[in-house]
Amino acid sequence: SRNVKDDLRWVECVQRIRDAQDRAAFAEIFRHFAPRVKAFLMKSGTDAGMAEECAQDVMATLWHKSHLFDPARASVSTWVFTIARNRRIDMLRKQRRPEPDELTWGPEPEPEAADVMELQQESARLAEALAELPEKQRDLVQKAFFGDLSHSEIAAETGLPLGTIKSRIRLALERLRHAMK
Amino acid sequence: MDQIKHHLNDQLLLSYAAGNLPEAFNLVVATHITMCDECRARLGAFEAVGGVMLQDAVPASANQLPEVDLDATMARIERGSKDEIRVAAKSGELPAALHDYIGGSLADVKWRSVGMGVRQAILPTSKDASVRLLYIPAGTKVPDHGHRGMELTLVLQGAFRDEHDRFGPGDIEIATEEDEHTPIAEMDVDCICLSATDAPLKFNGLLQRIAQPFLRI
Ligand SMILES: [Zn+2]
Ligand SMILES: [Zn+2]
């Protein structure tokens, strides 16, 4: 259902928005992600009007924060998911969402192409692994992300296939730390 | 911080990634992750699961994706953004999230005594859980207690020990209904912790049980 070529294409779109305020690149990424953000919100119980408002806001945030996206640490889907999640908490639960500090002070060095490629590949592999989970377990994970499961209902042992992507992200973080020294 | 030994568990990281934790717990999790690269990376993996869920999201009522107004979004972009960016705290400074809730540094905290030298400051969050700073003078015991829900404690300064282990700066202790403990601050430095609970604690001493409604612990 998903391939690395798509993921790399979205990365390129975000970089073109960042470097050239490229509206065509934005329209392309919008056509793919905006409906998914809206569907995601509606699936977690938001009415259509609020989901539209929220989806527009998420996509506008993608434009404004394009310089903060690091393709060696996340796929574009993951990044958009985190923006949508935070907006949902802001707008619907009317709560602040305490966030960890960002890792760096100034502009980050452009990540190495090989690191970007590896991270995007791992993300695609994770998607495949999730698709192959036993239905019961996959259902549970979905429920957690669509807000149907509170933290106390989530079992301590999730058994999610996260092994490789965890170490990829850890490597990216280490590299970033070394670059800052 | 290289010596962090006690980390967030998968349950908490998944809930934080999904956005399902009460605000009080979010604050403890965000503060730990600011101090801990290992949990930051694990969070990244759980967020990647969220990314996959977003990719595959199809509305429950229709099997077709809804439309979103591109022109209205472009107009929104033209109006600009109000968002500021949080960057890493300088060493010795508090993580930005915690700084916001205190409205300053640890020196600005308005402590209230809870007896036996222990002081606390309750931070304002939504009511589904509560979070407080605890100041435990070196060598002092926190009254022995059990838990009705979950208690998540992060050490900011100093260290404490309880029946189970030692917890130093950056360490997280997760206590649940099955756990009872009597934390004691180590002798050399006063201990400051950030502690969230989703239900009031159960104190075992009679005096504390009487005082509890007044102290809100
Ligand atoms: Zn950790
Ligand atoms: Zn306790």
Side-chain angles (χ1 to χ4, degrees), chain A residues 23 35-36 38 52 77 85 93 97-98 101-102 105 144 149 151 177, chain B residues 11 16-17 19-21 34 37 40 47 55 66-67 69 78 86 88 96:
Chain A
R23 284 167 178 256
R36 283 174 170 78
K38 189 170 175 179
E52 169 76 26
S77 332
R85 170 199 65 198
R93 281 170 43 187
R97 158 124 177 149
D101 291 0
E102 293 290 336
W105 279 96
L149 220 53
H151 73 102
R177 286 257 179 242
Chain B
Q11 179 188 5
Y16 183 76
N20 289 341
L21 281 182
T34 300
D37 281 357
R40 193 188 286 266
E47 288 178 336
Q55 276 284 356
E67 282 186 29
D69 190 335
E78 309 291 340
R86 313 308 303 259

PDB file of all heavy atoms in Angstrom, chain A residues 23 35-36 38 52 77 85 93 97-98 101-102 105 144 149 151 177, chain B residues 11 16-17 19-21 34 37 40 47 55 66-67 69 78 86 88 96:
ATOM      1  N   ARG A  23       4.259  26.461  -4.659  1.00  0.00           N
ATOM      2  CA  ARG A  23       2.826  26.196  -4.486  1.00  0.00           C
ATOM      3  C   ARG A  23       2.383  24.902  -5.155  1.00  0.00           C
ATOM      4  O   ARG A  23       1.460  24.238  -4.682  1.00  0.00           O
ATOM      5  CB  ARG A  23       1.998  27.360  -5.046  1.00  0.00           C
ATOM      6  CG  ARG A  23       2.015  28.553  -4.116  1.00  0.00           C
ATOM      7  CD  ARG A  23       1.473  29.796  -4.805  1.00  0.00           C
ATOM      8  NE  ARG A  23       1.462  30.899  -3.863  1.00  0.00           N
ATOM      9  CZ  ARG A  23       0.361  31.368  -3.268  1.00  0.00           C
ATOM     10  NH1 ARG A  23      -0.824  30.855  -3.549  1.00  0.00           N
ATOM     11  NH2 ARG A  23       0.428  32.360  -2.411  1.00  0.00           N
ATOM     12  N   PRO A  35      -6.922  15.284   2.868  1.00  0.00           N
ATOM     13  CA  PRO A  35      -8.082  14.399   3.082  1.00  0.00           C
ATOM     14  C   PRO A  35      -7.818  13.332   4.144  1.00  0.00           C
ATOM     15  O   PRO A  35      -8.728  12.942   4.874  1.00  0.00           O
ATOM     16  CB  PRO A  35      -8.276  13.734   1.714  1.00  0.00           C
ATOM     17  CG  PRO A  35      -7.588  14.626   0.737  1.00  0.00           C
ATOM     18  CD  PRO A  35      -6.433  15.209   1.476  1.00  0.00           C
ATOM     19  N   ARG A  36      -6.573  12.872   4.233  1.00  0.00           N
ATOM     20  CA  ARG A  36      -6.260  11.841   5.228  1.00  0.00           C
ATOM     21  C   ARG A  36      -6.296  12.406   6.644  1.00  0.00           C
ATOM     22  O   ARG A  36      -6.752  11.740   7.569  1.00  0.00           O
ATOM     23  CB  ARG A  36      -4.893  11.204   4.920  1.00  0.00           C
ATOM     24  CG  ARG A  36      -4.990  10.228   3.776  1.00  0.00           C
ATOM     25  CD  ARG A  36      -3.665   9.683   3.326  1.00  0.00           C
ATOM     26  NE  ARG A  36      -3.873   8.578   2.384  1.00  0.00           N
ATOM     27  CZ  ARG A  36      -4.196   8.733   1.115  1.00  0.00           C
ATOM     28  NH1 ARG A  36      -4.340   9.968   0.613  1.00  0.00           N
ATOM     29  NH2 ARG A  36      -4.390   7.694   0.327  1.00  0.00           N
ATOM     30  N   LYS A  38      -8.155  14.899   7.567  1.00  0.00           N
ATOM     31  CA  LYS A  38      -9.578  15.094   7.873  1.00  0.00           C
ATOM     32  C   LYS A  38     -10.254  13.765   8.213  1.00  0.00           C
ATOM     33  O   LYS A  38     -10.998  13.671   9.193  1.00  0.00           O
ATOM     34  CB  LYS A  38     -10.273  15.756   6.680  1.00  0.00           C
ATOM     35  CG  LYS A  38     -11.698  16.199   6.965  1.00  0.00           C
ATOM     36  CD  LYS A  38     -12.236  17.050   5.832  1.00  0.00           C
ATOM     37  CE  LYS A  38     -13.700  17.401   6.041  1.00  0.00           C
ATOM     38  NZ  LYS A  38     -14.207  18.262   4.942  1.00  0.00           N
ATOM     39  N   GLU A  52     -12.507  19.829   9.113  1.00  0.00           N
ATOM     40  CA  GLU A  52     -12.080  20.665   7.983  1.00  0.00           C
ATOM     41  C   GLU A  52     -11.185  21.798   8.478  1.00  0.00           C
ATOM     42  O   GLU A  52     -10.097  22.022   7.960  1.00  0.00           O
ATOM     43  CB  GLU A  52     -13.324  21.241   7.277  1.00  0.00           C
ATOM     44  CG  GLU A  52     -13.052  22.330   6.244  1.00  0.00           C
ATOM     45  CD  GLU A  52     -12.509  21.804   4.917  1.00  0.00           C
ATOM     46  OE1 GLU A  52     -12.789  20.629   4.593  1.00  0.00           O
ATOM     47  OE2 GLU A  52     -11.795  22.568   4.220  1.00  0.00           O
ATOM     48  N   SER A  77       4.618  11.451   6.470  1.00  0.00           N
ATOM     49  CA  SER A  77       3.370  10.999   7.131  1.00  0.00           C
ATOM     50  C   SER A  77       3.482  11.112   8.640  1.00  0.00           C
ATOM     51  O   SER A  77       2.537  11.547   9.305  1.00  0.00           O
ATOM     52  CB  SER A  77       3.040   9.543   6.827  1.00  0.00           C
ATOM     53  OG  SER A  77       3.531   9.134   5.613  1.00  0.00           O
ATOM     54  N   ARG A  85      -2.073  15.500  15.504  1.00  0.00           N
ATOM     55  CA  ARG A  85      -2.321  15.087  16.895  1.00  0.00           C
ATOM     56  C   ARG A  85      -2.308  16.307  17.831  1.00  0.00           C
ATOM     57  O   ARG A  85      -3.205  16.486  18.649  1.00  0.00           O
ATOM     58  CB  ARG A  85      -1.230  14.103  17.324  1.00  0.00           C
ATOM     59  CG  ARG A  85      -1.238  13.780  18.807  1.00  0.00           C
ATOM     60  CD  ARG A  85       0.089  13.206  19.246  1.00  0.00           C
ATOM     61  NE  ARG A  85       1.168  14.184  19.104  1.00  0.00           N
ATOM     62  CZ  ARG A  85       2.459  13.874  19.089  1.00  0.00           C
ATOM     63  NH1 ARG A  85       2.827  12.603  19.175  1.00  0.00           N
ATOM     64  NH2 ARG A  85       3.383  14.803  18.967  1.00  0.00           N
ATOM     65  N   ARG A  93      -9.653  19.287  22.809  1.00  0.00           N
ATOM     66  CA  ARG A  93      -9.630  19.084  24.251  1.00  0.00           C
ATOM     67  C   ARG A  93      -9.350  20.376  24.982  1.00  0.00           C
ATOM     68  O   ARG A  93      -9.388  20.424  26.197  1.00  0.00           O
ATOM     69  CB  ARG A  93      -8.610  17.997  24.607  1.00  0.00           C
ATOM     70  CG  ARG A  93      -9.219  16.622  24.326  1.00  0.00           C
ATOM     71  CD  ARG A  93      -8.257  15.457  24.410  1.00  0.00           C
ATOM     72  NE  ARG A  93      -7.331  15.489  25.534  1.00  0.00           N
ATOM     73  CZ  ARG A  93      -6.338  14.604  25.678  1.00  0.00           C
ATOM     74  NH1 ARG A  93      -6.166  13.657  24.804  1.00  0.00           N
ATOM     75  NH2 ARG A  93      -5.530  14.687  26.703  1.00  0.00           N
ATOM     76  N   ARG A  97      -0.473  21.111  25.211  1.00  0.00           N
ATOM     77  CA  ARG A  97       0.262  19.863  25.073  1.00  0.00           C
ATOM     78  C   ARG A  97       1.731  20.156  25.350  1.00  0.00           C
ATOM     79  O   ARG A  97       2.426  20.690  24.490  1.00  0.00           O
ATOM     80  CB  ARG A  97       0.097  19.292  23.670  1.00  0.00           C
ATOM     81  CG  ARG A  97       1.214  18.323  23.303  1.00  0.00           C
ATOM     82  CD  ARG A  97       0.732  16.990  22.908  1.00  0.00           C
ATOM     83  NE  ARG A  97       1.859  16.141  22.510  1.00  0.00           N
ATOM     84  CZ  ARG A  97       1.866  14.831  22.680  1.00  0.00           C
ATOM     85  NH1 ARG A  97       0.836  14.236  23.232  1.00  0.00           N
ATOM     86  NH2 ARG A  97       2.893  14.120  22.284  1.00  0.00           N
ATOM     87  N   PRO A  98       2.220  19.792  26.541  1.00  0.00           N
ATOM     88  CA  PRO A  98       3.651  19.992  26.803  1.00  0.00           C
ATOM     89  C   PRO A  98       4.471  19.164  25.818  1.00  0.00           C
ATOM     90  O   PRO A  98       4.195  17.983  25.639  1.00  0.00           O
ATOM     91  CB  PRO A  98       3.831  19.490  28.231  1.00  0.00           C
ATOM     92  CG  PRO A  98       2.467  19.418  28.815  1.00  0.00           C
ATOM     93  CD  PRO A  98       1.514  19.202  27.681  1.00  0.00           C
ATOM     94  N   ASP A 101      11.685  19.824  24.343  1.00  0.00           N
ATOM     95  CA  ASP A 101      12.439  20.854  23.629  1.00  0.00           C
ATOM     96  C   ASP A 101      12.954  20.273  22.317  1.00  0.00           C
ATOM     97  O   ASP A 101      13.292  19.098  22.247  1.00  0.00           O
ATOM     98  CB  ASP A 101      13.670  21.294  24.447  1.00  0.00           C
ATOM     99  CG  ASP A 101      13.260  22.070  25.694  1.00  0.00           C
ATOM    100  OD1 ASP A 101      12.059  22.245  25.899  1.00  0.00           O
ATOM    101  OD2 ASP A 101      14.167  22.482  26.438  1.00  0.00           O
ATOM    102  N   GLU A 102      13.061  21.125  21.299  1.00  0.00           N
ATOM    103  CA  GLU A 102      13.720  20.700  20.071  1.00  0.00           C
ATOM    104  C   GLU A 102      15.195  20.452  20.379  1.00  0.00           C
ATOM    105  O   GLU A 102      15.742  20.996  21.342  1.00  0.00           O
ATOM    106  CB  GLU A 102      13.604  21.782  18.994  1.00  0.00           C
ATOM    107  CG  GLU A 102      12.182  22.009  18.507  1.00  0.00           C
ATOM    108  CD  GLU A 102      11.656  20.849  17.676  1.00  0.00           C
ATOM    109  OE1 GLU A 102      12.481  20.100  17.105  1.00  0.00           O
ATOM    110  OE2 GLU A 102      10.431  20.697  17.610  1.00  0.00           O
ATOM    111  N   TRP A 105      19.743  24.325  18.364  1.00  0.00           N
ATOM    112  CA  TRP A 105      19.611  25.767  18.507  1.00  0.00           C
ATOM    113  C   TRP A 105      19.335  26.442  17.181  1.00  0.00           C
ATOM    114  O   TRP A 105      18.347  27.114  17.002  1.00  0.00           O
ATOM    115  CB  TRP A 105      20.881  26.357  19.105  1.00  0.00           C
ATOM    116  CG  TRP A 105      20.912  26.199  20.565  1.00  0.00           C
ATOM    117  CD1 TRP A 105      21.522  25.210  21.264  1.00  0.00           C
ATOM    118  CD2 TRP A 105      20.251  27.024  21.521  1.00  0.00           C
ATOM    119  NE1 TRP A 105      21.287  25.371  22.592  1.00  0.00           N
ATOM    120  CE2 TRP A 105      20.524  26.477  22.786  1.00  0.00           C
ATOM    121  CE3 TRP A 105      19.479  28.177  21.442  1.00  0.00           C
ATOM    122  CZ2 TRP A 105      20.042  27.048  23.963  1.00  0.00           C
ATOM    123  CZ3 TRP A 105      18.997  28.740  22.605  1.00  0.00           C
ATOM    124  CH2 TRP A 105      19.273  28.180  23.844  1.00  0.00           C
ATOM    125  N   ALA A 144      -5.896   2.749  19.827  1.00  0.00           N
ATOM    126  CA  ALA A 144      -5.055   3.653  20.622  1.00  0.00           C
ATOM    127  C   ALA A 144      -4.872   4.981  19.887  1.00  0.00           C
ATOM    128  O   ALA A 144      -4.972   6.050  20.476  1.00  0.00           O
ATOM    129  CB  ALA A 144      -3.712   3.003  20.911  1.00  0.00           C
ATOM    130  N   LEU A 149      -8.951   4.262  23.131  1.00  0.00           N
ATOM    131  CA  LEU A 149      -8.316   3.477  24.179  1.00  0.00           C
ATOM    132  C   LEU A 149      -7.537   4.444  25.067  1.00  0.00           C
ATOM    133  O   LEU A 149      -6.683   5.164  24.594  1.00  0.00           O
ATOM    134  CB  LEU A 149      -7.344   2.496  23.510  1.00  0.00           C
ATOM    135  CG  LEU A 149      -7.228   1.077  24.013  1.00  0.00           C
ATOM    136  CD1 LEU A 149      -8.574   0.397  24.087  1.00  0.00           C
ATOM    137  CD2 LEU A 149      -6.299   0.291  23.107  1.00  0.00           C
ATOM    138  N   HIS A 151      -4.910   5.506  28.261  1.00  0.00           N
ATOM    139  CA  HIS A 151      -3.572   4.976  28.568  1.00  0.00           C
ATOM    140  C   HIS A 151      -3.631   3.776  29.505  1.00  0.00           C
ATOM    141  O   HIS A 151      -2.826   2.879  29.421  1.00  0.00           O
ATOM    142  CB  HIS A 151      -2.654   6.078  29.106  1.00  0.00           C
ATOM    143  CG  HIS A 151      -2.967   6.507  30.500  1.00  0.00           C
ATOM    144  ND1 HIS A 151      -2.244   6.086  31.572  1.00  0.00           N
ATOM    145  CD2 HIS A 151      -3.922   7.312  30.989  1.00  0.00           C
ATOM    146  CE1 HIS A 151      -2.734   6.620  32.671  1.00  0.00           C
ATOM    147  NE2 HIS A 151      -3.763   7.372  32.339  1.00  0.00           N
ATOM    148  N   ARG A 177      23.809  14.880  17.421  1.00  0.00           N
ATOM    149  CA  ARG A 177      24.576  15.296  18.604  1.00  0.00           C
ATOM    150  C   ARG A 177      26.042  15.543  18.231  1.00  0.00           C
ATOM    151  O   ARG A 177      26.627  16.519  18.655  1.00  0.00           O
ATOM    152  CB  ARG A 177      24.526  14.208  19.675  1.00  0.00           C
ATOM    153  CG  ARG A 177      23.214  14.119  20.375  1.00  0.00           C
ATOM    154  CD  ARG A 177      23.302  14.764  21.763  1.00  0.00           C
ATOM    155  NE  ARG A 177      22.014  14.688  22.414  1.00  0.00           N
ATOM    156  CZ  ARG A 177      21.304  15.747  22.782  1.00  0.00           C
ATOM    157  NH1 ARG A 177      21.764  16.965  22.600  1.00  0.00           N
ATOM    158  NH2 ARG A 177      20.140  15.606  23.350  1.00  0.00           N
TER     159      ARG A 177
ATOM    160  N   GLN B  11       3.939   1.558  27.154  1.00  0.00           N
ATOM    161  CA  GLN B  11       2.555   1.980  27.342  1.00  0.00           C
ATOM    162  C   GLN B  11       2.451   3.514  27.389  1.00  0.00           C
ATOM    163  O   GLN B  11       1.601   4.116  26.732  1.00  0.00           O
ATOM    164  CB  GLN B  11       2.056   1.382  28.659  1.00  0.00           C
ATOM    165  CG  GLN B  11       0.634   1.734  29.023  1.00  0.00           C
ATOM    166  CD  GLN B  11       0.289   1.250  30.440  1.00  0.00           C
ATOM    167  OE1 GLN B  11       1.152   0.736  31.161  1.00  0.00           O
ATOM    168  NE2 GLN B  11      -0.950   1.426  30.821  1.00  0.00           N
ATOM    169  N   TYR B  16       1.469   8.713  24.810  1.00  0.00           N
ATOM    170  CA  TYR B  16       1.919  10.080  24.539  1.00  0.00           C
ATOM    171  C   TYR B  16       1.963  10.325  23.028  1.00  0.00           C
ATOM    172  O   TYR B  16       1.527  11.363  22.541  1.00  0.00           O
ATOM    173  CB  TYR B  16       3.295  10.320  25.161  1.00  0.00           C
ATOM    174  CG  TYR B  16       3.812  11.730  24.993  1.00  0.00           C
ATOM    175  CD1 TYR B  16       3.318  12.774  25.763  1.00  0.00           C
ATOM    176  CD2 TYR B  16       4.802  12.026  24.048  1.00  0.00           C
ATOM    177  CE1 TYR B  16       3.788  14.082  25.604  1.00  0.00           C
ATOM    178  CE2 TYR B  16       5.278  13.323  23.887  1.00  0.00           C
ATOM    179  CZ  TYR B  16       4.769  14.346  24.672  1.00  0.00           C
ATOM    180  OH  TYR B  16       5.232  15.635  24.505  1.00  0.00           O
ATOM    181  N   ALA B  17       2.468   9.337  22.283  1.00  0.00           N
ATOM    182  CA  ALA B  17       2.530   9.467  20.822  1.00  0.00           C
ATOM    183  C   ALA B  17       1.133   9.622  20.238  1.00  0.00           C
ATOM    184  O   ALA B  17       0.904  10.417  19.331  1.00  0.00           O
ATOM    185  CB  ALA B  17       3.215   8.246  20.208  1.00  0.00           C
ATOM    186  N   GLY B  19      -1.459  10.798  21.773  1.00  0.00           N
ATOM    187  CA  GLY B  19      -2.143  11.971  22.297  1.00  0.00           C
ATOM    188  C   GLY B  19      -3.256  11.627  23.271  1.00  0.00           C
ATOM    189  O   GLY B  19      -4.211  12.373  23.416  1.00  0.00           O
ATOM    190  N   ASN B  20      -3.110  10.495  23.969  1.00  0.00           N
ATOM    191  CA  ASN B  20      -4.174  10.042  24.872  1.00  0.00           C
ATOM    192  C   ASN B  20      -3.873  10.215  26.356  1.00  0.00           C
ATOM    193  O   ASN B  20      -4.639   9.739  27.181  1.00  0.00           O
ATOM    194  CB  ASN B  20      -4.455   8.552  24.647  1.00  0.00           C
ATOM    195  CG  ASN B  20      -5.131   8.326  23.322  1.00  0.00           C
ATOM    196  OD1 ASN B  20      -5.696   9.253  22.758  1.00  0.00           O
ATOM    197  ND2 ASN B  20      -5.059   7.112  22.822  1.00  0.00           N
ATOM    198  N   LEU B  21      -2.766  10.836  26.698  1.00  0.00           N
ATOM    199  CA  LEU B  21      -2.451  10.985  28.113  1.00  0.00           C
ATOM    200  C   LEU B  21      -3.079  12.257  28.671  1.00  0.00           C
ATOM    201  O   LEU B  21      -3.213  13.245  27.964  1.00  0.00           O
ATOM    202  CB  LEU B  21      -0.934  11.078  28.315  1.00  0.00           C
ATOM    203  CG  LEU B  21      -0.106   9.811  28.289  1.00  0.00           C
ATOM    204  CD1 LEU B  21       1.351  10.162  28.553  1.00  0.00           C
ATOM    205  CD2 LEU B  21      -0.603   8.811  29.322  1.00  0.00           C
ATOM    206  N   THR B  34      12.992  15.491  27.002  1.00  0.00           N
ATOM    207  CA  THR B  34      13.961  16.565  26.793  1.00  0.00           C
ATOM    208  C   THR B  34      15.327  16.170  27.359  1.00  0.00           C
ATOM    209  O   THR B  34      16.367  16.545  26.829  1.00  0.00           O
ATOM    210  CB  THR B  34      13.459  17.866  27.454  1.00  0.00           C
ATOM    211  OG1 THR B  34      12.214  18.221  26.872  1.00  0.00           O
ATOM    212  CG2 THR B  34      14.458  19.008  27.263  1.00  0.00           C
ATOM    213  N   ASP B  37      17.737  11.013  25.242  1.00  0.00           N
ATOM    214  CA  ASP B  37      17.729  10.688  23.812  1.00  0.00           C
ATOM    215  C   ASP B  37      17.133   9.318  23.527  1.00  0.00           C
ATOM    216  O   ASP B  37      16.525   9.101  22.478  1.00  0.00           O
ATOM    217  CB  ASP B  37      19.158  10.703  23.259  1.00  0.00           C
ATOM    218  CG  ASP B  37      19.634  12.117  23.003  1.00  0.00           C
ATOM    219  OD1 ASP B  37      18.827  13.053  23.215  1.00  0.00           O
ATOM    220  OD2 ASP B  37      20.791  12.298  22.606  1.00  0.00           O
ATOM    221  N   ARG B  40      13.480   9.626  23.462  1.00  0.00           N
ATOM    222  CA  ARG B  40      13.108  10.451  22.308  1.00  0.00           C
ATOM    223  C   ARG B  40      13.081   9.588  21.039  1.00  0.00           C
ATOM    224  O   ARG B  40      12.179   9.689  20.215  1.00  0.00           O
ATOM    225  CB  ARG B  40      14.087  11.616  22.145  1.00  0.00           C
ATOM    226  CG  ARG B  40      13.595  12.683  21.182  1.00  0.00           C
ATOM    227  CD  ARG B  40      14.689  13.711  20.897  1.00  0.00           C
ATOM    228  NE  ARG B  40      14.941  14.639  21.992  1.00  0.00           N
ATOM    229  CZ  ARG B  40      14.370  15.842  22.100  1.00  0.00           C
ATOM    230  NH1 ARG B  40      13.512  16.253  21.191  1.00  0.00           N
ATOM    231  NH2 ARG B  40      14.667  16.628  23.109  1.00  0.00           N
ATOM    232  N   GLU B  47       5.629   7.339  17.030  1.00  0.00           N
ATOM    233  CA  GLU B  47       5.013   8.344  16.163  1.00  0.00           C
ATOM    234  C   GLU B  47       4.980   7.869  14.715  1.00  0.00           C
ATOM    235  O   GLU B  47       4.048   8.196  13.969  1.00  0.00           O
ATOM    236  CB  GLU B  47       5.739   9.684  16.308  1.00  0.00           C
ATOM    237  CG  GLU B  47       5.431  10.318  17.657  1.00  0.00           C
ATOM    238  CD  GLU B  47       6.136  11.636  17.933  1.00  0.00           C
ATOM    239  OE1 GLU B  47       7.206  11.885  17.325  1.00  0.00           O
ATOM    240  OE2 GLU B  47       5.644  12.406  18.758  1.00  0.00           O
ATOM    241  N   GLN B  55      -1.804   7.500   7.184  1.00  0.00           N
ATOM    242  CA  GLN B  55      -1.794   7.088   5.772  1.00  0.00           C
ATOM    243  C   GLN B  55      -3.015   6.250   5.424  1.00  0.00           C
ATOM    244  O   GLN B  55      -3.593   6.381   4.355  1.00  0.00           O
ATOM    245  CB  GLN B  55      -0.557   6.217   5.479  1.00  0.00           C
ATOM    246  CG  GLN B  55       0.698   6.961   5.189  1.00  0.00           C
ATOM    247  CD  GLN B  55       0.718   7.555   3.795  1.00  0.00           C
ATOM    248  OE1 GLN B  55      -0.189   7.361   2.996  1.00  0.00           O
ATOM    249  NE2 GLN B  55       1.747   8.320   3.524  1.00  0.00           N
ATOM    250  N   PRO B  66     -12.624  12.398   2.384  1.00  0.00           N
ATOM    251  CA  PRO B  66     -13.309  13.692   2.330  1.00  0.00           C
ATOM    252  C   PRO B  66     -12.443  14.740   1.618  1.00  0.00           C
ATOM    253  O   PRO B  66     -11.229  14.568   1.513  1.00  0.00           O
ATOM    254  CB  PRO B  66     -13.481  14.052   3.809  1.00  0.00           C
ATOM    255  CG  PRO B  66     -12.370  13.344   4.502  1.00  0.00           C
ATOM    256  CD  PRO B  66     -12.118  12.083   3.728  1.00  0.00           C
ATOM    257  N   GLU B  67     -13.068  15.806   1.141  1.00  0.00           N
ATOM    258  CA  GLU B  67     -12.297  16.881   0.510  1.00  0.00           C
ATOM    259  C   GLU B  67     -11.964  17.965   1.520  1.00  0.00           C
ATOM    260  O   GLU B  67     -12.694  18.178   2.478  1.00  0.00           O
ATOM    261  CB  GLU B  67     -13.104  17.481  -0.640  1.00  0.00           C
ATOM    262  CG  GLU B  67     -13.058  16.590  -1.863  1.00  0.00           C
ATOM    263  CD  GLU B  67     -13.733  17.245  -3.071  1.00  0.00           C
ATOM    264  OE1 GLU B  67     -13.725  18.491  -3.149  1.00  0.00           O
ATOM    265  OE2 GLU B  67     -14.262  16.496  -3.885  1.00  0.00           O
ATOM    266  N   ASP B  69     -10.590  22.176   1.576  1.00  0.00           N
ATOM    267  CA  ASP B  69     -10.534  23.368   0.729  1.00  0.00           C
ATOM    268  C   ASP B  69      -9.099  23.907   0.616  1.00  0.00           C
ATOM    269  O   ASP B  69      -8.562  24.470   1.569  1.00  0.00           O
ATOM    270  CB  ASP B  69     -11.467  24.431   1.339  1.00  0.00           C
ATOM    271  CG  ASP B  69     -11.675  25.617   0.405  1.00  0.00           C
ATOM    272  OD1 ASP B  69     -10.791  25.864  -0.452  1.00  0.00           O
ATOM    273  OD2 ASP B  69     -12.711  26.293   0.549  1.00  0.00           O
ATOM    274  N   GLU B  78      -1.304  32.740   3.793  1.00  0.00           N
ATOM    275  CA  GLU B  78      -0.959  34.154   3.547  1.00  0.00           C
ATOM    276  C   GLU B  78      -1.056  34.976   4.834  1.00  0.00           C
ATOM    277  O   GLU B  78      -0.318  35.927   5.035  1.00  0.00           O
ATOM    278  CB  GLU B  78      -1.912  34.799   2.516  1.00  0.00           C
ATOM    279  CG  GLU B  78      -2.105  34.049   1.206  1.00  0.00           C
ATOM    280  CD  GLU B  78      -0.867  34.036   0.329  1.00  0.00           C
ATOM    281  OE1 GLU B  78       0.004  34.894   0.538  1.00  0.00           O
ATOM    282  OE2 GLU B  78      -0.769  33.154  -0.552  1.00  0.00           O
ATOM    283  N   ARG B  86      10.271  26.157  19.954  1.00  0.00           N
ATOM    284  CA  ARG B  86      11.004  25.929  21.190  1.00  0.00           C
ATOM    285  C   ARG B  86      12.315  25.247  20.859  1.00  0.00           C
ATOM    286  O   ARG B  86      12.342  24.251  20.170  1.00  0.00           O
ATOM    287  CB  ARG B  86      10.206  25.016  22.130  1.00  0.00           C
ATOM    288  CG  ARG B  86       8.755  25.374  22.299  1.00  0.00           C
ATOM    289  CD  ARG B  86       8.562  26.821  22.680  1.00  0.00           C
ATOM    290  NE  ARG B  86       9.256  27.201  23.897  1.00  0.00           N
ATOM    291  CZ  ARG B  86       8.649  27.309  25.057  1.00  0.00           C
ATOM    292  NH1 ARG B  86       7.395  27.026  25.196  1.00  0.00           N
ATOM    293  NH2 ARG B  86       9.324  27.711  26.106  1.00  0.00           N
ATOM    294  N   ALA B  88      16.267  23.821  22.365  1.00  0.00           N
ATOM    295  CA  ALA B  88      16.814  23.153  23.542  1.00  0.00           C
ATOM    296  C   ALA B  88      17.235  24.160  24.607  1.00  0.00           C
ATOM    297  O   ALA B  88      17.786  25.217  24.318  1.00  0.00           O
ATOM    298  CB  ALA B  88      18.013  22.310  23.134  1.00  0.00           C
ATOM    299  N   ALA B  96      11.796  23.648  28.508  1.00  0.00           N
ATOM    300  CA  ALA B  96      10.859  24.752  28.253  1.00  0.00           C
ATOM    301  C   ALA B  96       9.439  24.437  28.737  1.00  0.00           C
ATOM    302  O   ALA B  96       8.762  25.303  29.306  1.00  0.00           O
ATOM    303  CB  ALA B  96      10.858  25.083  26.759  1.00  0.00           C
TER     304      ALA B  96
END
